[in-house]
Short mmCIF file of all heavy atoms in Angstrom, two decimals:
data_model
loop_
_atom_site.label_atom_id
_atom_site.label_comp_id
_atom_site.label_asym_id
_atom_site.label_seq_id
_atom_site.Cartn_x
_atom_site.Cartn_y
_atom_site.Cartn_z
N ALA B 184 -78.21 60.93 3.87
CA ALA B 184 -77.87 62.03 2.97
C ALA B 184 -78.86 63.16 3.15
O ALA B 184 -78.46 64.33 3.06
CB ALA B 184 -77.88 61.48 1.49
N THR B 185 -80.14 62.86 3.39
CA THR B 185 -81.11 63.90 3.56
C THR B 185 -80.81 64.77 4.81
O THR B 185 -80.93 66.00 4.77
CB THR B 185 -82.54 63.29 3.74
OG1 THR B 185 -82.78 62.43 2.63
CG2 THR B 185 -83.61 64.34 3.78
N LEU B 186 -80.35 64.08 5.89
CA LEU B 186 -80.03 64.83 7.09
C LEU B 186 -78.91 65.86 6.76
O LEU B 186 -78.99 67.02 7.31
CB LEU B 186 -79.53 63.85 8.20
CG LEU B 186 -80.64 63.04 8.84
CD1 LEU B 186 -80.03 62.12 9.86
CD2 LEU B 186 -81.64 63.96 9.54
N VAL B 187 -77.96 65.48 5.93
CA VAL B 187 -76.92 66.43 5.56
C VAL B 187 -77.43 67.53 4.72
O VAL B 187 -77.17 68.75 4.98
CB VAL B 187 -75.73 65.70 4.83
CG1 VAL B 187 -74.71 66.67 4.37
CG2 VAL B 187 -75.16 64.62 5.71
N GLU B 188 -78.26 67.20 3.72
CA GLU B 188 -78.75 68.24 2.79
C GLU B 188 -79.67 69.20 3.43
O GLU B 188 -79.76 70.35 3.07
CB GLU B 188 -79.47 67.55 1.62
CG GLU B 188 -78.59 66.67 0.71
CD GLU B 188 -77.50 67.45 -0.03
OE1 GLU B 188 -77.86 68.54 -0.51
OE2 GLU B 188 -76.37 67.03 -0.09
N LYS B 189 -80.49 68.66 4.45
CA LYS B 189 -81.52 69.46 5.05
C LYS B 189 -81.00 70.76 5.60
O LYS B 189 -81.69 71.80 5.57
CB LYS B 189 -82.18 68.65 6.16
CG LYS B 189 -83.55 69.11 6.60
CD LYS B 189 -84.15 68.07 7.47
CE LYS B 189 -83.76 68.29 8.95
NZ LYS B 189 -84.56 67.47 9.86
N SER B 190 -79.78 70.75 6.14
CA SER B 190 -79.25 71.99 6.81
C SER B 190 -78.65 72.96 5.82
O SER B 190 -78.13 73.94 6.22
CB SER B 190 -78.28 71.55 7.90
OG SER B 190 -77.26 70.76 7.29
N LYS B 191 -78.61 72.60 4.52
CA LYS B 191 -77.92 73.50 3.59
C LYS B 191 -78.87 74.68 3.20
O LYS B 191 -80.09 74.65 3.40
CB LYS B 191 -77.56 72.72 2.33
CG LYS B 191 -76.41 71.79 2.60
CD LYS B 191 -75.77 71.22 1.38
CE LYS B 191 -74.63 70.33 1.68
NZ LYS B 191 -74.28 69.43 0.61
N ASP B 192 -78.24 75.75 2.66
CA ASP B 192 -78.95 76.99 2.40
C ASP B 192 -80.06 76.82 1.38
O ASP B 192 -81.14 77.44 1.52
CB ASP B 192 -78.01 78.09 1.96
CG ASP B 192 -77.18 78.59 3.14
OD1 ASP B 192 -77.61 78.32 4.29
OD2 ASP B 192 -76.13 79.21 2.93
N TYR B 193 -79.82 76.00 0.37
CA TYR B 193 -80.87 75.99 -0.68
C TYR B 193 -82.19 75.41 -0.18
O TYR B 193 -83.24 75.78 -0.69
CB TYR B 193 -80.33 75.23 -1.92
CG TYR B 193 -80.26 73.72 -1.81
CD1 TYR B 193 -81.32 72.92 -2.19
CD2 TYR B 193 -79.14 73.11 -1.26
CE1 TYR B 193 -81.24 71.56 -2.08
CE2 TYR B 193 -79.03 71.74 -1.15
CZ TYR B 193 -80.11 70.96 -1.55
OH TYR B 193 -80.06 69.60 -1.39
N VAL B 194 -82.08 74.56 0.79
CA VAL B 194 -83.32 74.02 1.33
C VAL B 194 -84.06 75.09 2.13
O VAL B 194 -85.25 75.27 2.04
CB VAL B 194 -83.05 72.74 2.22
CG1 VAL B 194 -84.33 72.24 2.88
CG2 VAL B 194 -82.42 71.70 1.37
N ALA B 195 -83.26 75.86 2.89
CA ALA B 195 -83.90 76.98 3.68
C ALA B 195 -84.51 77.96 2.70
O ALA B 195 -85.63 78.47 2.96
CB ALA B 195 -82.78 77.63 4.53
N ALA B 196 -83.83 78.21 1.57
CA ALA B 196 -84.35 79.18 0.61
C ALA B 196 -85.66 78.65 0.02
O ALA B 196 -86.67 79.45 -0.09
CB ALA B 196 -83.30 79.43 -0.48
N ALA B 197 -85.71 77.40 -0.30
CA ALA B 197 -86.93 76.86 -0.86
C ALA B 197 -88.07 76.97 0.10
O ALA B 197 -89.20 77.21 -0.25
CB ALA B 197 -86.72 75.35 -1.23
N ARG B 198 -87.75 76.73 1.38
CA ARG B 198 -88.76 76.80 2.43
C ARG B 198 -89.28 78.24 2.56
O ARG B 198 -90.46 78.50 2.72
CB ARG B 198 -88.20 76.30 3.73
CG ARG B 198 -89.22 75.62 4.64
CD ARG B 198 -88.60 75.09 5.92
NE ARG B 198 -87.58 74.07 5.60
CZ ARG B 198 -86.58 73.75 6.49
NH1 ARG B 198 -86.58 74.36 7.61
NH2 ARG B 198 -85.74 72.79 6.20
N LEU B 199 -88.34 79.17 2.45
CA LEU B 199 -88.69 80.59 2.55
C LEU B 199 -89.67 81.06 1.50
O LEU B 199 -90.58 81.85 1.74
CB LEU B 199 -87.44 81.48 2.51
CG LEU B 199 -86.81 81.73 3.87
CD1 LEU B 199 -85.51 82.53 3.72
CD2 LEU B 199 -87.80 82.42 4.81
N ILE B 200 -89.44 80.57 0.26
CA ILE B 200 -90.32 80.98 -0.81
C ILE B 200 -91.67 80.23 -0.81
O ILE B 200 -92.49 80.35 -1.69
CB ILE B 200 -89.72 80.96 -2.20
CG1 ILE B 200 -89.30 79.54 -2.53
CG2 ILE B 200 -88.51 81.92 -2.32
CD1 ILE B 200 -88.89 79.35 -3.98
N GLY B 201 -91.83 79.37 0.24
CA GLY B 201 -93.12 78.81 0.44
C GLY B 201 -93.37 77.48 -0.27
O GLY B 201 -94.55 77.14 -0.49
N ARG B 202 -92.36 76.80 -0.63
CA ARG B 202 -92.57 75.50 -1.26
C ARG B 202 -93.03 74.49 -0.24
O ARG B 202 -92.59 74.54 0.94
CB ARG B 202 -91.26 75.00 -1.90
CG ARG B 202 -90.84 75.87 -3.06
CD ARG B 202 -90.68 74.98 -4.22
NE ARG B 202 -90.97 75.64 -5.47
CZ ARG B 202 -90.55 75.10 -6.66
NH1 ARG B 202 -89.90 74.02 -6.69
NH2 ARG B 202 -90.87 75.78 -7.73
N SER B 203 -93.88 73.56 -0.65
CA SER B 203 -94.43 72.60 0.27
C SER B 203 -93.33 71.54 0.62
O SER B 203 -92.44 71.36 -0.21
CB SER B 203 -95.61 71.89 -0.27
OG SER B 203 -95.21 70.97 -1.28
N PRO B 204 -93.43 70.92 1.84
CA PRO B 204 -92.39 69.97 2.23
C PRO B 204 -92.23 68.86 1.15
O PRO B 204 -91.09 68.46 0.90
CB PRO B 204 -92.95 69.41 3.50
CG PRO B 204 -93.84 70.47 4.05
CD PRO B 204 -94.39 71.17 2.86
N LEU B 205 -93.30 68.41 0.56
CA LEU B 205 -93.26 67.35 -0.41
C LEU B 205 -92.44 67.75 -1.62
O LEU B 205 -91.56 67.07 -2.14
CB LEU B 205 -94.66 66.93 -0.84
CG LEU B 205 -94.72 65.59 -1.58
CD1 LEU B 205 -94.42 64.43 -0.61
CD2 LEU B 205 -96.09 65.37 -2.18
N THR B 206 -92.68 68.98 -2.09
CA THR B 206 -91.92 69.54 -3.24
C THR B 206 -90.44 69.63 -2.90
O THR B 206 -89.59 69.32 -3.71
CB THR B 206 -92.49 70.89 -3.67
OG1 THR B 206 -93.84 70.94 -3.50
CG2 THR B 206 -92.07 71.25 -5.05
N ILE B 207 -90.19 70.13 -1.69
CA ILE B 207 -88.74 70.29 -1.30
C ILE B 207 -88.08 68.96 -1.29
O ILE B 207 -86.98 68.80 -1.82
CB ILE B 207 -88.65 70.98 0.09
CG1 ILE B 207 -89.14 72.38 -0.01
CG2 ILE B 207 -87.22 70.95 0.56
CD1 ILE B 207 -89.21 73.12 1.32
N MET B 208 -88.78 67.93 -0.77
CA MET B 208 -88.17 66.62 -0.64
C MET B 208 -87.86 66.08 -2.05
O MET B 208 -86.77 65.56 -2.27
CB MET B 208 -89.14 65.68 0.06
CG MET B 208 -89.02 65.71 1.58
SD MET B 208 -89.94 64.33 2.24
CE MET B 208 -91.49 65.08 2.64
N ILE B 209 -88.83 66.12 -2.94
CA ILE B 209 -88.69 65.45 -4.19
C ILE B 209 -87.93 66.26 -5.25
O ILE B 209 -87.04 65.81 -5.91
CB ILE B 209 -90.11 65.05 -4.72
CG1 ILE B 209 -90.67 63.99 -3.82
CG2 ILE B 209 -90.01 64.51 -6.21
CD1 ILE B 209 -92.07 63.64 -4.07
N ARG B 210 -88.26 67.59 -5.34
CA ARG B 210 -87.63 68.43 -6.35
C ARG B 210 -86.23 68.90 -5.95
O ARG B 210 -85.34 69.09 -6.82
CB ARG B 210 -88.50 69.63 -6.66
CG ARG B 210 -89.83 69.27 -7.35
CD ARG B 210 -89.64 68.96 -8.81
NE ARG B 210 -89.08 70.08 -9.55
CZ ARG B 210 -89.89 71.11 -9.98
NH1 ARG B 210 -91.16 71.16 -9.76
NH2 ARG B 210 -89.27 72.10 -10.63
N HIS B 211 -86.00 69.16 -4.67
CA HIS B 211 -84.76 69.77 -4.25
C HIS B 211 -83.77 68.83 -3.58
O HIS B 211 -82.55 68.80 -3.99
CB HIS B 211 -85.03 70.94 -3.29
CG HIS B 211 -85.91 72.01 -3.94
ND1 HIS B 211 -85.36 73.07 -4.56
CD2 HIS B 211 -87.21 72.16 -4.09
CE1 HIS B 211 -86.32 73.86 -5.08
NE2 HIS B 211 -87.47 73.31 -4.76
N ILE B 212 -84.27 68.01 -2.67
CA ILE B 212 -83.34 67.12 -1.91
C ILE B 212 -83.03 65.88 -2.77
O ILE B 212 -81.88 65.50 -2.87
CB ILE B 212 -83.85 66.78 -0.55
CG1 ILE B 212 -83.98 68.05 0.28
CG2 ILE B 212 -82.92 65.79 0.13
CD1 ILE B 212 -84.51 67.84 1.67
N LEU B 213 -84.03 65.26 -3.30
CA LEU B 213 -83.84 63.97 -3.97
C LEU B 213 -82.73 63.97 -5.04
O LEU B 213 -81.88 63.09 -5.03
CB LEU B 213 -85.17 63.53 -4.62
CG LEU B 213 -85.14 62.17 -5.35
CD1 LEU B 213 -84.74 61.05 -4.41
CD2 LEU B 213 -86.53 61.83 -5.91
N PRO B 214 -82.67 64.98 -5.96
CA PRO B 214 -81.58 64.91 -6.95
C PRO B 214 -80.21 64.94 -6.32
O PRO B 214 -79.27 64.41 -6.91
CB PRO B 214 -81.82 66.17 -7.72
CG PRO B 214 -83.27 66.56 -7.55
CD PRO B 214 -83.56 66.13 -6.13
N ASN B 215 -80.09 65.47 -5.10
CA ASN B 215 -78.75 65.57 -4.47
C ASN B 215 -78.39 64.34 -3.71
O ASN B 215 -77.23 64.25 -3.19
CB ASN B 215 -78.75 66.80 -3.57
CG ASN B 215 -78.74 68.09 -4.39
OD1 ASN B 215 -77.89 68.30 -5.27
ND2 ASN B 215 -79.68 68.95 -4.11
N VAL B 216 -79.30 63.39 -3.53
CA VAL B 216 -78.93 62.22 -2.76
C VAL B 216 -78.91 60.99 -3.63
O VAL B 216 -78.80 59.88 -3.16
CB VAL B 216 -79.92 61.97 -1.57
CG1 VAL B 216 -79.88 63.21 -0.64
CG2 VAL B 216 -81.31 61.69 -2.07
N LEU B 217 -78.96 61.22 -4.95
CA LEU B 217 -79.17 60.01 -5.85
C LEU B 217 -77.91 59.19 -6.08
O LEU B 217 -78.02 58.02 -6.35
CB LEU B 217 -79.74 60.46 -7.21
CG LEU B 217 -81.30 60.53 -7.24
CD1 LEU B 217 -81.74 60.90 -8.64
CD2 LEU B 217 -81.91 59.29 -6.79
N SER B 218 -76.67 59.81 -5.97
CA SER B 218 -75.53 59.03 -6.42
C SER B 218 -75.29 57.79 -5.52
O SER B 218 -74.98 56.73 -6.00
CB SER B 218 -74.29 59.88 -6.57
OG SER B 218 -73.61 60.11 -5.36
N PRO B 219 -75.39 57.95 -4.19
CA PRO B 219 -75.22 56.64 -3.35
C PRO B 219 -76.38 55.67 -3.68
O PRO B 219 -76.13 54.44 -3.66
CB PRO B 219 -75.29 57.12 -1.94
CG PRO B 219 -75.92 58.45 -1.97
CD PRO B 219 -75.52 59.05 -3.27
N VAL B 220 -77.56 56.14 -4.03
CA VAL B 220 -78.65 55.29 -4.37
C VAL B 220 -78.36 54.43 -5.59
O VAL B 220 -78.64 53.18 -5.63
CB VAL B 220 -79.99 56.12 -4.64
CG1 VAL B 220 -81.05 55.22 -5.23
CG2 VAL B 220 -80.43 56.73 -3.32
N LEU B 221 -77.65 55.04 -6.56
CA LEU B 221 -77.28 54.34 -7.81
C LEU B 221 -76.36 53.13 -7.46
O LEU B 221 -76.57 52.00 -7.97
CB LEU B 221 -76.59 55.31 -8.76
CG LEU B 221 -76.26 54.78 -10.11
CD1 LEU B 221 -77.51 54.51 -10.88
CD2 LEU B 221 -75.40 55.72 -10.85
N VAL B 222 -75.42 53.34 -6.56
CA VAL B 222 -74.50 52.27 -6.22
C VAL B 222 -75.24 51.10 -5.52
O VAL B 222 -75.06 50.00 -5.90
CB VAL B 222 -73.42 52.85 -5.20
CG1 VAL B 222 -72.51 51.73 -4.73
CG2 VAL B 222 -72.60 53.90 -5.93
N ILE B 223 -76.09 51.52 -4.57
CA ILE B 223 -76.80 50.48 -3.82
C ILE B 223 -77.72 49.70 -4.82
O ILE B 223 -77.89 48.49 -4.69
CB ILE B 223 -77.61 51.08 -2.68
CG1 ILE B 223 -76.62 51.68 -1.68
CG2 ILE B 223 -78.46 50.00 -2.01
CD1 ILE B 223 -77.31 52.27 -0.52
N ALA B 224 -78.28 50.46 -5.76
CA ALA B 224 -79.20 49.78 -6.72
C ALA B 224 -78.47 48.70 -7.50
O ALA B 224 -78.99 47.61 -7.69
CB ALA B 224 -79.85 50.82 -7.63
N THR B 225 -77.26 49.02 -7.97
CA THR B 225 -76.49 48.01 -8.77
C THR B 225 -76.18 46.80 -7.91
O THR B 225 -76.31 45.67 -8.38
CB THR B 225 -75.17 48.65 -9.28
OG1 THR B 225 -75.45 50.00 -9.63
CG2 THR B 225 -74.72 47.92 -10.49
N ILE B 226 -75.66 47.06 -6.68
CA ILE B 226 -75.30 45.93 -5.82
C ILE B 226 -76.53 45.12 -5.51
O ILE B 226 -76.57 43.86 -5.51
CB ILE B 226 -74.57 46.38 -4.56
CG1 ILE B 226 -73.26 47.04 -5.01
CG2 ILE B 226 -74.32 45.26 -3.61
CD1 ILE B 226 -72.48 47.73 -3.86
N SER B 227 -77.68 45.83 -5.20
CA SER B 227 -78.94 45.16 -4.90
C SER B 227 -79.41 44.33 -6.07
O SER B 227 -80.05 43.28 -5.86
CB SER B 227 -80.00 46.16 -4.57
OG SER B 227 -79.75 46.82 -3.40
N LEU B 228 -79.12 44.79 -7.31
CA LEU B 228 -79.62 44.06 -8.45
C LEU B 228 -78.98 42.64 -8.48
O LEU B 228 -79.65 41.67 -8.71
CB LEU B 228 -79.26 44.79 -9.75
CG LEU B 228 -79.75 44.08 -11.01
CD1 LEU B 228 -81.24 43.93 -11.01
CD2 LEU B 228 -79.27 44.87 -12.26
N ALA B 229 -77.66 42.57 -8.23
CA ALA B 229 -76.99 41.27 -8.18
C ALA B 229 -77.60 40.39 -7.10
O ALA B 229 -77.90 39.23 -7.32
CB ALA B 229 -75.48 41.44 -7.94
N LEU B 230 -77.83 41.02 -5.92
CA LEU B 230 -78.43 40.28 -4.83
C LEU B 230 -79.86 39.82 -5.13
O LEU B 230 -80.23 38.71 -4.83
CB LEU B 230 -78.45 41.09 -3.51
CG LEU B 230 -77.03 41.40 -2.96
CD1 LEU B 230 -77.17 42.32 -1.74
CD2 LEU B 230 -76.33 40.12 -2.58
N ALA B 231 -80.62 40.72 -5.84
CA ALA B 231 -81.97 40.34 -6.13
C ALA B 231 -82.03 39.22 -7.16
O ALA B 231 -82.92 38.32 -7.07
CB ALA B 231 -82.70 41.59 -6.69
#
Side-chain angles (χ1 to χ4, degrees):
Chain B
T185 307
L186 285 177
V187 176
E188 295 294 319
K189 199 169 86 170
S190 56
K191 289 191 179 163
D192 285 343
Y193 74 93
V194 176
R198 212 176 298 159
L199 271 178
I200 60 170
R202 291 237 151 163
S203 72
L205 196 68
T206 322
I207 295 176
M208 275 191 263
I209 291 171
R210 295 281 300 278
H211 298 268
I212 296 180
L213 181 59
N215 290 306
V216 301
L217 274 184
S218 84
V220 169
L221 187 66
V222 175
I223 296 180
T225 323
I226 295 171
S227 291
L228 181 60
L230 293 177

